[in-house]
Amino acid sequence: MGFVKEDCKAMAFCAKMRSTKKNELNLEAQHQGLEILFYLQDKAPLCYSSGEFTSEELCIEAAQKCSVSPLCHNLFALYDENKKLWYAPNQVFKVEEKSSFRLHYRMRYYFTNWHGTSESEPSVWRHSPRRAKAYDKKLAPEGTPILDANSLEYMFAQGQYDLVKGLAPIRDPKNDQEVHEIENECLGMAVLAISHDAIKKNVKLPELPKDISYKHYIPETLNRTIRQRNFLTRIRINNVFKHFLKEFNNKTICNNSVSPRDLKVKYLSTMEVLTKYYGAEIFETSFLLISAENEMNKFSCGDNEKYEVMVTGNNGIQWRLKPSPVQAEKEKKKKSEGKGRKEEERHKLREAWNSFSYFPEITHIVIREATVSINKQDNKRMELRLGSHAEALSFTSLVDGYFRLTADAHHYLCTDVAPPLIQHNIRNGCHGPICTEYAINKLRQEGNEVGMYVLRWSCTNFNHILMTVTCLEGSEVMNNSGPYKNFQIEVKKGGYFLHGSNKSFASLKDLMDHLKGQILRTDNISFTLKRCCQPRPREISNLLVATKKAQEWQPVYPMGQLSFHRIRKEEIVQGEHLGRGTRTQIYSGMLSLKDDENEGYQNEREIRVLLKVLDPSHRDISLASSSFVYIFFNIKNLLLSLCVPDPRAVLCCCPSVSLTPGLFCAALTLYHESIKYARIGSKASISPLAVFYWLINPE
């Protein structure tokens, strides 16, 4: 009889093991392919079993599922929680039978005090064409909010997840009293979250389920700490929480004195002070090099030392020596003994954050395997070595994304992480989702001639491009219809369609070339398309976020340092083809430079150069005659020339011994600013976009 009982137990155990293995197999089967998870409870994951997708394409589909607008779409990215890795927009996922990708759709780019409720730091907002009148400047907002309603809803859900799971760790308490304060703040966060859910579901406090507990809304680490306390303490905490929840609902929620948005803003603003470095990303490195034109600081770490580089939307790139846990314990012990105050201050100074750069100051980024080099306009450079090439791409895409949010919405700093949509826009002269007011302002600034147009992505639909056209001269405006009309271009997998037409085109360029040969009619008005107003470097629009540092930024080199000289086409000899850029072909070459400073004598010398030749199809440069224009820059030791023959242009970089990438890109940026409204020659005009200002390093 005993044997039968043992056999039954063994069979039951085997059955249980088979069931467990079956469940594990089912779980694995569910995770096969590519899966994108959301923090919103009512959103099912996006699943892909096969195909090839870029991270940007997946983010757009995720944004559409969560009703995130195209304007806020560039705040989000894909994140792998297991690898603790963010993916760049151009990352390609090849999904096959054995593939297994499990990613989260997350808001990555964050600016503290976007809500404007903190008095300790400046507010942050989007640029807006609407300006407050003089008498109500203090009352009116200086711009529009960064987040729309659906993005705020998603960020609120993400914030709750981060707090509970520890992705946003709680700040370190300085003493026992602050430990209790932090616990109370966490319980307060639970009250905010539960109250928000009750309002959304239109549920009154007495009707809330009895099993609702603060345990599901506080950090798991704090929950474990509370569980280790005695029974009476846990009962007391539970009673205090229920009393606080009841008071909050009776005095605040039931009186309709707060809205769900108010609760979300309060929750996220509290997260900024309750957690450590909320919205920041910190990268560890064992090798850090910061160099300038005449100096170099190399920070090599010892066996137990590392450096940290932190990137935030408000303060840019900062670095410090990573605090050592052992050293921190020693400092606490010394502090308790009342000794080592000078040593403590010295250590604090060592571990303080040092600012390297804010995003508009950066000219370009270079990735070599796991090493990232960030170059600034003032010739300074930061070089850091990360754990892998994937982490280097993640770090670079973070800086690159913040650059587009604060400096230039239509430019990228590194080709290795360049978003495909930005590349598409550069090729086609198309803007991002700028609002109608900015499109009209741009047409006015460009001359407001009939037939001028602006291409821009829709602010509300990911599959629409809008063409805003000047149809009438100002004096011809009739019936208050306005001189500007919007035409909708639909983007589908099959191609590009003008709304109302069934004819498909393979590319936006093909469609626009076709339309330029047609007479367009709308509201009894006929016109032809003439010139596209393309994005200008660093132009202000609602795509940019106004932070204090972005508002204070100024170019490093004043315009007075520029000098213009003339060179001739025959002085440049084009050599072998080296490669190609987005808009240009790259060649080696030689420049014959004549020095006529000495009276009666001309010293001629040859300098190795790189030539960037614009494709003949490029239309940024319009020349009315067959003549060509040469511009020659001389900033300190930099020689830079722009040769513009018809129908192509050559950009020539001639470095002397001390030329550095930062100085080169600074010169090109200044060229963009100086040439905005300049006419060169009697008939020839050059657009700023004629210069594709990536680094050219012939050394």
Side-chain angles (χ1 to χ4, degrees):
M1 195 71 179
F3 289 110
V4 173
K5 190 179 287 187
E6 289 297 326
D7 288 343
C8 288
K9 285 183 180 180
M11 290 172 65
F13 177 77
C14 291
K16 186 176 181 180
M17 288 297 293
R18 282 196 300 270
S19 176
T20 303
K21 285 184 178 180
K22 188 176 180 181
N23 290 335
E24 287 177 357
L25 289 172
N26 289 337
L27 197 63
E28 286 180 8
Q30 288 176 1
H31 292 167
Q32 282 184 351
L34 188 147
E35 185 179 24
I36 298 177
L37 304 173
F38 302 99
Y39 299 114
L40 298 171
Q41 294 181 357
D42 60 340
K43 301 297 179 187
L46 286 174
C47 299
Y48 304 86
S49 56
S50 62
E52 191 170 301
F53 313 92
T54 64
S55 177
E56 185 177 66
E57 290 171 336
L58 296 173
C59 279
I60 289 175
E61 288 200 37
Q64 289 173 315
K65 189 176 181 69
C66 298
S67 301
V68 172
S69 69
L71 193 60
C72 294
H73 149 69
N74 57 356
L75 299 173
F76 291 80
L78 296 180
Y79 181 68
D80 189 323
E81 276 195 12
N82 293 327
K83 296 179 181 178
K84 297 182 179 179
L85 186 69
W86 293 91
Y87 290 102
N90 62 350
Q91 172 71 39
V92 177
F93 295 95
K94 295 181 180 179
V95 184
E96 301 169 347
E97 285 186 19
K98 296 181 180 179
S99 300
S100 180
F101 300 102
R102 199 163 190 262
L103 311 174
H104 279 83
Y105 180 63
R106 286 180 60 87
M107 183 178 287
R108 186 182 195 188
Y109 302 95
Y110 187 85
F111 297 86
T112 54
N113 204 29
W114 57 267
H115 38 78
T117 61
S118 173
E119 296 181 357
S120 61
E121 60 179 313
S123 299
V124 181
W125 63 88
R126 283 189 185 276
H127 283 284
S128 171
R130 302 180 185 88
R131 295 295 180 190
K133 295 181 181 179
Y135 60 83
D136 62 354
K137 268 186 180 178
K138 292 183 180 179
L139 300 177
E142 299 182 67
T144 55
I146 295 177
L147 305 180
D148 56 26
N150 292 315
S151 299
L152 176 57
E153 183 72 29
Y154 196 91
M155 188 60 199
F156 175 62
Q158 178 179 315
Q160 291 184 71
Y161 180 89
D162 291 352
L163 182 67
V164 172
K165 297 295 182 182
L167 270 68
I170 302 298
R171 69 176 188 268
D172 297 322
K174 297 177 182 177
N175 47 50
D176 293 339
Q177 182 182 349
E178 194 171 357
V179 171
H180 295 297
E181 290 176 0
I182 289 174
E183 288 184 5
N184 289 336
E185 287 182 44
C186 290
L187 293 174
M189 298 290 274
V191 169
L192 291 173
I194 292 172
S195 301
H196 176 271
D197 293 345
I199 293 178
K200 284 202 69 177
K201 296 173 183 176
N202 199 23
V203 177
K204 302 295 183 184
L205 180 63
E207 301 170 8
L208 286 173
K210 292 182 179 180
D211 59 345
I212 284 187
S213 171
Y214 65 84
K215 297 174 185 177
H216 305 297
Y217 297 91
I218 64 173
E220 291 178 346
T221 52
L222 176 59
N223 198 15
R224 286 194 293 269
T225 302
I226 292 175
R227 280 205 304 264
Q228 292 173 0
R229 295 175 182 170
N230 62 60
F231 178 73
L232 292 176
T233 302
R234 296 201 305 271
I235 291 293
R236 182 182 59 80
I237 292 174
N238 197 45
N239 290 336
V240 168
F241 171 76
K242 287 184 177 180
H243 175 73
F244 187 33
L245 180 62
K246 186 176 180 179
E247 286 280 309
F248 185 76
N249 277 270
N250 290 342
K251 293 183 178 180
T252 309
I253 305 300
C254 294
N255 294 337
N256 296 321
S257 57
V258 295
S259 65
R261 186 187 185 280
D262 294 332
L263 293 173
K264 285 192 278 277
V265 169
K266 178 61 178 174
Y267 190 96
L268 293 172
S269 62
T270 306
M271 285 282 286
E272 293 176 6
V273 295
L274 178 62
T275 62
K276 290 190 294 187
Y277 311 119
Y278 189 65
E281 289 188 40
I282 298 176
F283 298 80
E284 287 187 7
T285 177
S286 56
F287 173 83
L288 182 65
L289 173 69
I290 297 176
S291 60
E293 188 173 4
N294 299 318
E295 61 180 18
M296 182 178 295
N297 296 317
K298 184 176 180 181
F299 303 94
S300 298
C301 302
D303 295 335
N304 299 318
E305 287 186 330
K306 284 185 178 295
Y307 281 88
E308 292 180 324
V309 176
M310 179 170 67
V311 182
T312 62
N314 298 64
N315 295 310
I317 303 172
Q318 299 170 281
W319 63 275
R320 72 170 182 181
L321 179 69
K322 183 181 178 181
S324 169
V326 177
Q327 184 66 30
E329 287 298 322
K330 287 181 180 178
E331 295 298 334
K332 282 184 181 179
K333 190 175 180 181
K334 285 179 181 178
K335 194 173 182 181
S336 63
E337 295 173 356
K339 298 178 182 179
R341 178 172 293 180
K342 286 186 178 180
E343 190 174 341
E344 180 189 350
E345 289 177 359
R346 195 182 303 116
H347 195 72
K348 279 185 178 179
L349 189 64
R350 250 188 108 197
E351 295 179 353
W353 289 105
N354 305 281
S355 179
F356 170 71
S357 173
Y358 197 57
F359 308 109
E361 303 171 56
I362 301 172
T363 58
H364 64 285
I365 301 176
V366 179
I367 302 176
R368 298 183 186 89
E369 296 181 355
T371 302
V372 180
S373 178
I374 306 168
N375 299 269
K376 292 174 58 181
Q377 289 185 356
D378 63 358
N379 240 15
K380 287 185 180 178
R381 178 169 60 96
M382 171 185 278
E383 191 171 303
L384 65 153
R385 187 179 300 124
L386 297 168
S388 64
H389 180 64
E391 190 180 3
L393 292 173
S394 174
F395 173 81
T396 305
S397 66
L398 177 65
V399 177
D400 185 55
Y402 274 125
F403 176 86
R404 270 189 303 281
L405 286 166
T406 58
D408 192 337
H410 302 97
H411 183 54
Y412 51 87
L413 297 171
C414 179
T415 53
D416 293 338
V417 297
L421 199 56
I422 298 296
Q423 292 180 311
H424 167 275
N425 292 345
I426 291 172
R427 287 194 303 269
N428 293 280
C430 184
H431 295 73
I434 63 173
C435 60
T436 303
E437 292 90 342
Y438 275 116
I440 291 174
N441 287 344
K442 188 172 183 67
L443 289 170
R444 288 172 178 164
Q445 291 171 3
E446 294 282 349
N448 217 20
E449 300 172 6
V450 174
M452 291 175 59
Y453 63 94
V454 170
L455 290 173
R456 59 193 176 99
W457 285 91
S458 167
C459 293
T460 56
N461 194 311
F462 284 96
N463 299 316
H464 291 166
I465 294 175
L466 300 178
M467 179 173 64
T468 304
V469 188
T470 303
C471 299
L472 293 172
E473 298 287 353
S475 59
E476 298 177 4
V477 179
M478 300 173 61
N479 301 326
N480 297 321
S481 59
Y484 308 102
K485 297 294 178 184
N486 286 322
F487 295 86
Q488 184 174 294
I489 298 171
E490 297 179 9
V491 184
K492 300 178 181 178
K493 288 186 177 180
Y496 295 77
F497 303 79
L498 184 65
H499 183 67
S501 171
N502 294 325
K503 191 169 184 180
S504 171
F505 294 87
S507 68
L508 181 59
K509 182 180 181 300
D510 292 342
L511 171 59
M512 298 313 299
D513 289 344
H514 170 75
L515 292 177
K516 284 182 180 178
Q518 307 294 319
I519 297 176
L520 303 180
R521 293 181 176 86
T522 176
D523 296 336
N524 299 322
I525 303 169
S526 300
F527 61 92
T528 57
L529 296 179
K530 291 184 179 178
R531 181 165 68 88
C532 176
C533 299
Q534 303 199 13
R536 290 186 180 273
R538 299 179 185 264
E539 65 183 347
I540 300 298
S541 73
N542 57 312
L543 303 181
L544 293 183
V545 174
T547 64
K548 183 183 179 186
K549 281 183 174 284
Q551 298 289 87
E552 293 173 347
W553 175 81
Q554 294 293 333
V556 173
Y557 294 96
M559 295 303 299
Q561 291 187 15
L562 286 175
S563 58
F564 296 86
H565 304 273
R566 199 174 183 86
I567 62 173
R568 301 185 179 281
K569 182 180 180 181
E570 54 266 22
E571 293 174 355
I572 300 176
V573 178
Q574 183 172 306
E576 62 176 327
H577 184 261
L578 301 176
R580 62 162 301 154
T582 305
R583 301 182 178 196
T584 56
Q585 300 291 337
I586 303 173
Y587 299 86
S588 64
M590 297 294 292
L591 172 66
S592 298
L593 190 64
K594 293 181 180 179
D595 181 9
D596 53 3
E597 291 182 359
N598 298 325
E599 294 183 6
Y601 297 95
Q602 281 193 346
N603 296 324
E604 185 172 324
R605 58 194 177 101
E606 291 188 339
I607 302 176
R608 289 175 56 244
V609 298
L610 279 188
L611 306 176
K612 298 200 79 176
V613 183
L614 288 164
D615 291 331
S617 59
H618 186 62
R619 299 179 183 273
D620 284 345
I621 295 181
S622 57
L623 294 176
S625 64
S626 60
S627 62
F628 38 77
V629 179
Y630 299 96
I631 300 174
F632 184 84
F633 276 97
N634 186 357
I635 301 181
K636 293 185 179 178
N637 295 311
L638 173 67
L639 286 149
L640 175 67
S641 65
L642 176 67
C643 170
V644 188
D646 186 13
R648 62 180 192 164
V650 178
L651 177 64
C652 170
C653 175
C654 323
S656 62
V657 177
S658 61
L659 172 64
T660 59
L663 185 59
F664 170 67
C665 289
L668 286 172
T669 303
L670 285 173
Y671 170 70
H672 281 287
E673 298 300 321
S674 66
I675 205 68
K676 273 186 179 179
Y677 305 105
R679 290 276 178 177
I680 302 172
S682 58
K683 297 181 180 179
S685 65
I686 299 182
S687 162
L689 290 176
V691 180
F692 189 63
Y693 55 95
W694 289 115
L695 167 68
I696 306 174
N697 184 6
E699 292 301 318

